[in-house]
Amino acid sequence: MALKRSGSADLPLHYGHVPRWLAERMGRLGLAITEAILAEYGKAEVLRRLSDPFWFQSLGCVMGMDWHSSGITTSVMGALKRAINPHAKELGIYICGGKGNISRQTPAELLQVGERTGLDGEYLVRCSKLSAKVDNTAIQDGFQLYLHNFIVSDEGQWTVVQQGMSPRSTTARRYHWHSASLTSFVEEPHTSICGENQGAILNMVAKEAIPTQASLMNMAQETPDRMMKEIQKLVMPAHHEVHAADVDLKRLGSILWLAHEKQPKDFAELLLLEGLGPRTLQSLTLVSEVIYGTPSRFKDPARFSFAHGGKDGHPFPVPVKVYDETIATLRTAVDKAKIGESDKQQAIKSLSELSTRAEKDFIPNANLDAVIEKERQDSWKYEGRTVFGKAVPPKKNQQLKLF
């Protein structure tokens, strides 16, 4: 199988911990989303999506993490590993590795996966080590790896998500790798290496490294146009607040309009979701897009933070009540689909389709700040919570019109 770097992401360093009340919910939602993707598209699609830096960032946002920070990588992968591995045999997906010392356990974990599935564990270990070596040693760009996750299916396909830190630039860089086709590592180790200019770096795959690594000349011989078309590069801003420039207002506006100003009974496709409040419908629509959306829908990951906010309060506190209703609805749909009752799952799928159709002729107002302020004012109604505490009712209530 080929090693193919599918993209990278530069993120501001963001320290702190994920509170237990959020970490537990992230695991439950992550498992439900994974099962929904498995049921609709299969294992290969789960791995492909995890290898997409934009989709991965969107997943972290919809799970309630800080929308732009380096902490998304550690928290999302930790939550998925805790939630998925107990069901690995049933799902056919295994997550190995992690942060710091846990990353060093990856080889032993992969050998165990090999024993359980019949896969070549030694080969998987080699893939794991080589992907880390390329990003940490062959490419010395100032980012030293401190997190390495290797996700593999029982069919032998795999994805690597790993992250390095650069204290000098106060950023972290996440690297995504994806197995693709039968070829060797040295023929095409990655599609491209792309990042902000940090000055001179040691690049063992550059043309100047011919005496040391002649077999990696394939990459240097590719035309820049082809390389830039294939690479995916996500650079997140340093500011914590969500600004209008960070989201596609037309896409976000159509979702808010559907959830808050159009009643579900107006749409035959949504009858099975009757009884959900507009705020939960807003979250479910964004979760639906994470599950069923096409790659082009994830170019503005910040939009997905409008599902469940962020633990630091940006764009607003995590609405715990809405979060739990979203998980319960999705969990019910996934469980029913397993026994052949897919009506609810189809209803959830229709949410992303409806928002896409509504978006076509939708003209948004540029009042993102008002939308965020209304979410913050209403946060206490949904048991809003951040790492700093629980939301309280505002002293003055104002009626703010949405998109």
Side-chain angles (χ1 to χ4, degrees), residues 18 25 73 75 85 116 181 219 248 277 312 321 346 368:
V18 180
R25 288 175 171 85
T73 313
S75 303
N85 279 4
R116 294 172 186 170
S181 58
M219 175 189 162
D248 186 322
D312 62 351
K321 183 178 179 181
Q346 289 301 316
L368 184 68

Side-chain angles (χ1 to χ4, degrees), residues 230-251:
E230 293 183 357
I231 191 68
Q232 294 193 74
K233 185 69 174 72
L234 171 64
V235 178
M236 300 301 281
H239 59 82
H240 287 207
E241 301 82 5
V242 177
H243 298 164
D246 300 319
V247 300
D248 186 322
L249 293 177
K250 189 172 185 179
R251 288 181 176 176

Side-chain angles (χ1 to χ4, degrees), residues 73-74 81 96-107 109 144-149 161-165:
T73 313
T74 305
K81 184 176 182 180
C96 303
K99 181 181 178 182
N101 290 332
I102 299 176
S103 67
R104 299 185 180 93
Q105 300 171 13
T106 307
E109 292 177 335
Q144 289 297 302
L145 295 184
Y146 66 93
L147 177 145
H148 173 86
N149 279 110
V161 177
Q162 54 193 4
Q163 187 156 288
M165 181 186 297

Side-chain angles (χ1 to χ4, degrees), residues 186-256:
V186 296
E187 288 177 3
E188 189 179 298
H190 31 59
T191 53
S192 183
I193 301 166
C194 182
E196 292 188 355
N197 192 331
Q198 305 271 348
I201 66 171
L202 173 63
N203 184 351
M204 294 293 288
V205 297
K207 185 179 292 186
E208 294 78 8
I210 293 175
T212 309
Q213 198 65 297
S215 60
L216 295 183
M217 277 297 295
N218 285 342
M219 175 189 162
Q221 292 169 354
E222 292 289 355
T223 62
D225 287 345
R226 177 180 173 185
M227 292 164 65
M228 293 310 295
K229 285 178 182 177
E230 293 183 357
I231 191 68
Q232 294 193 74
K233 185 69 174 72
L234 171 64
V235 178
M236 300 301 281
H239 59 82
H240 287 207
E241 301 82 5
V242 177
H243 298 164
D246 300 319
V247 300
D248 186 322
L249 293 177
K250 189 172 185 179
R251 288 181 176 176
L252 178 62
S254 65
I255 289 172
L256 298 178

Side-chain angles (χ1 to χ4, degrees), residues 66 95 106 188 230 244 303 335 366 375:
D66 305 325
I95 300 179
T106 307
E188 189 179 298
E230 293 183 357
R303 176 165 52 95
D335 289 343
E375 286 280 2

Side-chain angles (χ1 to χ4, degrees), residues 58-113:
S58 300
L59 174 65
C61 289
V62 89
M63 292 171 80
M65 275 300 296
D66 305 325
W67 68 280
H68 72 314
S69 78
S70 60
I72 273 186
T73 313
T74 305
S75 303
V76 169
M77 289 311 308
L80 291 178
K81 184 176 182 180
R82 290 191 301 272
I84 288 175
N85 279 4
H87 308 280
K89 185 175 181 179
E90 171 194 349
L91 301 178
I93 300 255
Y94 298 81
I95 300 179
C96 303
K99 181 181 178 182
N101 290 332
I102 299 176
S103 67
R104 299 185 180 93
Q105 300 171 13
T106 307
E109 292 177 335
L110 287 172
L111 290 174
Q112 291 177 1
V113 170

Side-chain angles (χ1 to χ4, degrees), residues 3-41:
L3 179 64
K4 184 178 183 181
R5 177 177 297 149
S6 49
S8 62
D10 283 3
L11 311 159
L13 286 176
H14 198 168
Y15 302 97
H17 72 286
V18 180
R20 181 174 294 182
W21 58 263
L22 178 58
E24 188 272 338
R25 288 175 171 85
M26 287 178 68
R28 287 163 53 202
L29 181 59
L31 176 61
I33 287 175
T34 300
E35 289 190 77
I37 296 172
L38 283 169
E40 185 75 15
Y41 306 109

Side-chain angles (χ1 to χ4, degrees), residues 79-373:
L80 291 178
K81 184 176 182 180
R82 290 191 301 272
I84 288 175
N85 279 4
H87 308 280
K89 185 175 181 179
E90 171 194 349
L91 301 178
I93 300 255
Y94 298 81
I95 300 179
C96 303
K99 181 181 178 182
N101 290 332
I102 299 176
S103 67
R104 299 185 180 93
Q105 300 171 13
T106 307
E109 292 177 335
L110 287 172
L111 290 174
Q112 291 177 1
V113 170
E115 292 175 0
R116 294 172 186 170
T117 62
L119 296 174
D120 186 343
E122 294 289 350
Y123 173 74
L124 295 176
V125 170
R126 182 173 181 269
C127 293
S128 169
K129 289 182 176 180
L130 279 174
S131 64
K133 280 290 186 182
V134 168
D135 284 338
N136 208 44
T137 303
I139 311 301
Q140 294 188 15
D141 54 1
F143 292 83
Q144 289 297 302
L145 295 184
Y146 66 93
L147 177 145
H148 173 86
N149 279 110
F150 195 99
I151 309 98
V152 60
S153 76
D154 58 10
E155 297 171 346
Q157 295 179 317
W158 51 265
T159 284
V160 170
V161 177
Q162 54 193 4
Q163 187 156 288
M165 181 186 297
S166 173
R168 184 182 64 179
S169 63
T170 64
T171 57
R173 177 166 291 175
R174 188 173 68 235
Y175 306 90
H176 295 256
W177 299 78
H178 188 212
S179 61
S181 58
L182 291 174
T183 184
S184 70
F185 278 79
V186 296
E187 288 177 3
E188 189 179 298
H190 31 59
T191 53
S192 183
I193 301 166
C194 182
E196 292 188 355
N197 192 331
Q198 305 271 348
I201 66 171
L202 173 63
N203 184 351
M204 294 293 288
V205 297
K207 185 179 292 186
E208 294 78 8
I210 293 175
T212 309
Q213 198 65 297
S215 60
L216 295 183
M217 277 297 295
N218 285 342
M219 175 189 162
Q221 292 169 354
E222 292 289 355
T223 62
D225 287 345
R226 177 180 173 185
M227 292 164 65
M228 293 310 295
K229 285 178 182 177
E230 293 183 357
I231 191 68
Q232 294 193 74
K233 185 69 174 72
L234 171 64
V235 178
M236 300 301 281
H239 59 82
H240 287 207
E241 301 82 5
V242 177
H243 298 164
D246 300 319
V247 300
D248 186 322
L249 293 177
K250 189 172 185 179
R251 288 181 176 176
L252 178 62
S254 65
I255 289 172
L256 298 178
W257 175 76
L258 278 172
H260 294 268
E261 298 191 17
K262 272 287 184 183
Q263 296 302 311
K265 64 177 181 293
D266 293 340
F267 303 102
E269 299 97 325
L270 300 187
L271 289 177
L272 291 168
L273 299 178
E274 197 72 57
L276 292 179
R279 186 57 188 78
T280 302
L281 200 61
Q282 173 183 323
S283 294
L284 265 178
T285 303
L286 288 163
V287 169
S288 173
E289 193 163 330
V290 165
I291 296 171
Y292 302 106
T294 57
S296 64
R297 306 289 297 177
F298 303 105
K299 298 305 181 184
D300 60 328
R303 176 165 52 95
F304 294 88
S305 65
F306 284 81
H308 298 125
K311 69 178 178 64
D312 62 351
H314 295 291
F316 47 80
V318 176
V320 173
K321 183 178 179 181
V322 171
Y323 205 131
D324 289 344
E325 288 181 357
T326 303
I327 293 172
T329 305
L330 186 56
R331 180 78 265 162
T332 298
V334 170
D335 289 343
K336 283 184 174 294
K338 289 180 180 178
I339 59 174
E341 298 178 14
S342 60
D343 289 350
K344 278 191 176 293
Q345 195 170 44
Q346 289 301 316
I348 291 174
K349 181 178 181 179
S350 72
L351 288 173
S352 61
E353 297 169 351
L354 281 169
S355 66
T356 302
R357 292 205 300 267
E359 173 191 321
K360 184 181 295 185
D361 300 315
F362 189 81
I363 301 176
N365 296 319
N367 61 342
L368 184 68
D369 291 341
V371 173
I372 294 174
E373 182 59 29

